[in-house]
């Protein structure tokens, strides 16, 4: 790998961008392909093989329809889960998401809820989300789950998550509660098409009742969303 390619890879890592090192097994040439540049920077026969690799983060050898052979070394940022609300669901969701490979942070300005005793071993931030986001900005490999039921706390992070193109944006609440939320966000200037990305009721429809069951439903939904990134746009080409 030449210095320019190595520098480009390190830059992608710092920016939490997904990229693949493509090694031509015939010529030995190594190229870096970022997820956002696939169609513009690489030949079609190879480009059609890359989206699945970005979704699965699985490296390995591939052969193209025109006879080429390549080694793909996939670099994908670790997914993050930002939970808004130090509530009972969060107590179950955080450890399960950690086991599933997510970097988890719980943010809640209510210091009566956001206590180390209730969230031992979890990255806990007891302040308003907008301040926390200045230190750790949201990005396309971040999921946001708003669980407080309080518009003063939830609405801002939801807007921030949509603006940052987070891969998953979910909010707790009934259909009536969500309808009111949609009205507020649109009135605040958020594009209705973006508001429609919010998953609410949050989580897969598995009939969850307890906080732990709801946490399972949320985690399953956000994993499914992570592993299907870009599928809709590929189908529409």
């Amino acid at each position: 790998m030449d210095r320019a390619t190595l520098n480009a890879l390190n830059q992608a890592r710092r920016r939490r961008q997904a990229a693949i090192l493509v090694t031509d097994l015939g010529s030995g040439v190594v190229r870096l392909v970022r997820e956002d540049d696939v169609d513009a920077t690489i030949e079609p026969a190879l480009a059609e093989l890359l989206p699945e690799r970005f979704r699965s983060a699985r490296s390995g050898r591939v052969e193209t329809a025109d006879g080429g052979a390549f080694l793909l070394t996939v670099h994908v940022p670790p997914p993050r889960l930002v939970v808004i609300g130090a509530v009972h669901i969060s107590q179950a969701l955080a450890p399960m998401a950690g086991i599933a490979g997510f970097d988890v942070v719980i943010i809640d300005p209510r210091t009566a809820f956001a206590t180390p005793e209730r969230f031992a071993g979890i990255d806990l931030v007891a302040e308003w989300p907008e301040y926390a986001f200045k230190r750790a900005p949201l990005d396309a490999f971040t999921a946001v789950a708003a669980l407080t039921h309080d518009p003063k706390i939830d609405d801002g992070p939801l807007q921030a998550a949509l603006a940052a193109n987070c891969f998953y944006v979910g909010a707790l609440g009934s259909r009536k509660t969500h309808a009111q939320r949609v009205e507020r966000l649109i009135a605040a200037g958020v594009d209705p098409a973006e508001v429609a990305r919010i998953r609410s009721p949050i989580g897969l429809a598995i009939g969850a009742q307890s906080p732990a069951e709801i946490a399972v439903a949320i985690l399953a939904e956000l994993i499914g969303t992570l592993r299907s990134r870009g599928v809709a746009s590929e189908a529409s080409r």
Side-chain angles (χ1 to χ4, degrees):
M1 186 191 321
D2 60 32
R3 182 182 294 273
T5 303
L6 178 59
N7 289 339
L9 175 61
N10 289 334
Q11 183 184 62
R13 286 171 166 167
R14 287 194 299 273
R15 294 179 176 177
R16 283 179 51 85
Q17 296 173 329
I20 296 178
L21 280 173
V22 178
T23 303
D24 188 322
L25 296 178
S27 66
V29 172
V30 180
R31 293 174 287 171
L32 184 74
V33 181
R34 294 184 180 84
E35 188 171 27
D36 293 339
D37 297 333
V38 170
D39 290 335
T41 61
I42 204 159
E43 54 272 30
L46 181 56
E48 67 181 18
L49 301 177
L50 298 191
E52 188 278 330
R53 295 291 177 148
F54 278 117
R55 285 194 291 272
S56 67
R58 183 166 53 89
S59 299
R61 186 181 189 277
V62 296
E63 295 182 359
T64 59
D66 57 4
F70 301 87
L71 177 63
L72 306 181
T73 306
V74 183
H75 297 268
V76 175
R80 295 190 305 184
L81 170 59
V82 175
V83 181
I84 307 300
V87 298
H88 288 110
I89 296 172
S90 311
Q91 289 178 300
L93 177 58
M96 287 194 294
I99 292 171
F102 289 82
D103 293 335
V104 182
V105 59
I106 295 176
I107 302 173
D108 197 325
R110 303 170 299 182
T111 53
F113 295 95
T115 66
E117 292 76 17
R118 298 183 68 230
F119 293 91
I122 303 298
D123 187 0
L124 184 65
V125 179
E127 64 180 349
W128 287 92
E130 57 264 38
Y131 296 112
F133 293 163
K134 290 180 180 178
R135 291 192 304 275
L138 304 175
D139 59 36
F141 285 88
T142 300
V144 172
L147 306 180
T148 74
H149 269 310
D150 186 338
K152 296 191 302 298
I153 302 175
D154 285 348
D155 283 6
L158 290 173
Q159 292 184 58
L162 295 173
N165 194 31
C166 290
F167 75 86
Y168 176 92
V169 185
L172 192 66
S174 66
R175 297 187 189 281
K176 179 180 178 181
T177 297
H178 185 59
Q180 295 169 341
R181 177 186 296 125
V182 168
E183 290 181 2
R184 289 195 306 273
L185 294 178
I186 292 176
V190 183
D191 188 320
E194 285 294 295
V195 175
R197 291 181 52 219
I198 298 174
R199 307 295 185 96
S200 188
I202 193 171
L204 293 184
I206 59 174
Q209 297 295 322
S210 69
E213 290 175 351
I214 296 170
V216 170
I218 294 171
L219 183 58
E221 185 173 59
L222 71 86
I223 289 174
T225 306
L226 176 66
R227 297 306 179 198
S228 61
R229 292 181 308 115
V231 170
S233 59
E234 286 177 56
S236 64
R237 289 176 184 172

